[in-house]
Amino acid sequence: MNLPSISGDPNHENSHPNCDRTLQSFVDRLKRVEDRDNLVQTTLNRLRKTLGCDRIVLYYFYRRWEGQVTFESLRYIDLSIYGSTGADDCFNDTYAQLYLQGRIRAISDIETADIDPCHREFLSSLKVRANLAVPVLTDRGLWGLLIAHHCRDTHAWTEAEIEEMKRAAETVSNAPAIREL
């Protein structure tokens, strides 16, 4: 979508420059949101195809360690978890601190991994068998998590896949559309 520039006619007696500036500010913000959405969705679609996984999601933190899945790319529509808010009891300050320090969590099989039972139950409820989570960090802290799921089978994450996820998380976190919102 191409959003127009908004400007009034200064020769018109009913022209309101403040209204024009307010409307232009709104249009500019809408454009930044559109840029962010396009960047994130394109990144998720590319990652899912590159990694060959069933689902890639962006979990965005809108409050301290509270968030939801705001974007997803799916191999099968029945795997959608769009809007999911996660298991609040599982994600706490301890986990957040690890991700703030750049933790990357690769789980090849949630059934055999040494993880908290709360986390296992949560992942199982989402039909996850293998999970790869990478932090999206901005100047303001932990903005979100970029997460890849294999849902039909286990998967041993390779170093190349982990690096690809890290690069994608950095691309998202460094985008002006993310930093300026």
Side-chain angles (χ1 to χ4, degrees), residues 13-52:
E13 65 184 62
N14 290 329
S15 181
H16 297 285
N18 288 339
C19 181
D20 292 343
R21 281 191 291 275
T22 301
L23 189 54
Q24 185 62 52
S25 175
F26 173 75
V27 169
D28 292 345
R29 180 167 169 75
L30 191 58
K31 178 70 173 128
R32 287 192 305 272
V33 168
E34 180 187 26
D35 290 347
R36 179 207 59 204
D37 290 359
N38 287 336
L39 170 76
V40 172
Q41 193 62 58
T42 300
T43 300
L44 267 60
N45 290 343
R46 181 186 54 77
L47 269 176
R48 187 183 52 75
K49 290 174 185 165
T50 300
L51 301 179

Side-chain angles (χ1 to χ4, degrees), residues 25-88:
S25 175
F26 173 75
V27 169
D28 292 345
R29 180 167 169 75
L30 191 58
K31 178 70 173 128
R32 287 192 305 272
V33 168
E34 180 187 26
D35 290 347
R36 179 207 59 204
D37 290 359
N38 287 336
L39 170 76
V40 172
Q41 193 62 58
T42 300
T43 300
L44 267 60
N45 290 343
R46 181 186 54 77
L47 269 176
R48 187 183 52 75
K49 290 174 185 165
T50 300
L51 301 179
C53 57
D54 295 316
R55 175 173 54 215
I56 299 273
V57 301
L58 177 71
Y59 188 85
Y60 167 69
F61 292 103
Y62 51 80
R63 248 183 266 134
R64 183 175 176 83
W65 320 145
E66 293 180 37
Q68 73 182 90
V69 173
T70 54
F71 291 90
E72 65 182 0
S73 179
L74 308 168
R75 180 174 295 189
Y76 307 106
I77 193 69
D78 65 320
L79 296 176
S80 178
I81 58 171
Y82 184 80
S84 172
T85 57
D88 295 335

